[in-house]
Amino acid sequence: TRATVERIRRSRERLAAALATLGFRVWPSEANFLLVRPPAGNAAQLYRDLKAEGILVRYFAQPALADKLRITVGTDIQNDRLLAAITGLGLQ
């Protein structure tokens, strides 16, 4: 529905802005996910750390994507949990 699309758009923009504030490179997106590069480019380690916290993101061990993560836009509660975990890892 239109309301669902608008909710996802707002959540995506909020998540993208928060990640950028934490030093992530965030590519523009019109989808329900974000492509991001962590501040130190340590995507594989961040993937493992988040997985250990029960937070699943996508990591692709391919040359052009090895320093990036694909993060699906969740609910605000899910996004806040992701951001709290990243902050707790000291990436800010």
Side-chain angles (χ1 to χ4, degrees), residues 5 7 12 18 22 29 37 39 51 53 67 81-82 84 87 90:
V5 171
R7 180 186 54 77
R12 182 185 63 228
L22 293 173
S29 175
R37 182 175 55 231
K51 187 175 181 182
E53 295 290 325
D67 62 344
R81 183 168 176 242
L82 168 72
T87 301

Side-chain angles (χ1 to χ4, degrees), residues 15-31:
L15 180 58
L19 288 168
T21 298
L22 293 173
F24 284 69
R25 165 73 159 89
V26 181
W27 277 264
S29 175
E30 294 295 323

Side-chain angles (χ1 to χ4, degrees), residues 5-88:
V5 171
E6 183 59 26
R7 180 186 54 77
I8 292 169
R9 186 190 63 75
R10 281 193 313 271
S11 293
R12 182 185 63 228
E13 290 173 1
R14 180 177 167 266
L15 180 58
L19 288 168
T21 298
L22 293 173
F24 284 69
R25 165 73 159 89
V26 181
W27 277 264
S29 175
E30 294 295 323
N32 68 334
F33 64 86
L34 297 170
L35 182 67
V36 303
R37 182 175 55 231
N42 57 343
Q45 184 62 50
L46 181 54
Y47 164 77
R48 289 188 294 273
D49 292 344
L50 290 173
K51 187 175 181 182
E53 295 290 325
I55 299 171
L56 301 179
V57 297
R58 296 290 306 267
Y59 173 70
F60 302 96
Q62 300 174 9
L65 296 172
D67 62 344
K68 299 169 187 72
L69 296 173
R70 179 189 184 272
I71 300 174
T72 299
V73 177
T75 65
D76 286 341
I77 292 170
Q78 291 167 330
N79 294 340
D80 288 345
R81 183 168 176 242
L82 168 72
L83 294 167
I86 290 171
T87 301

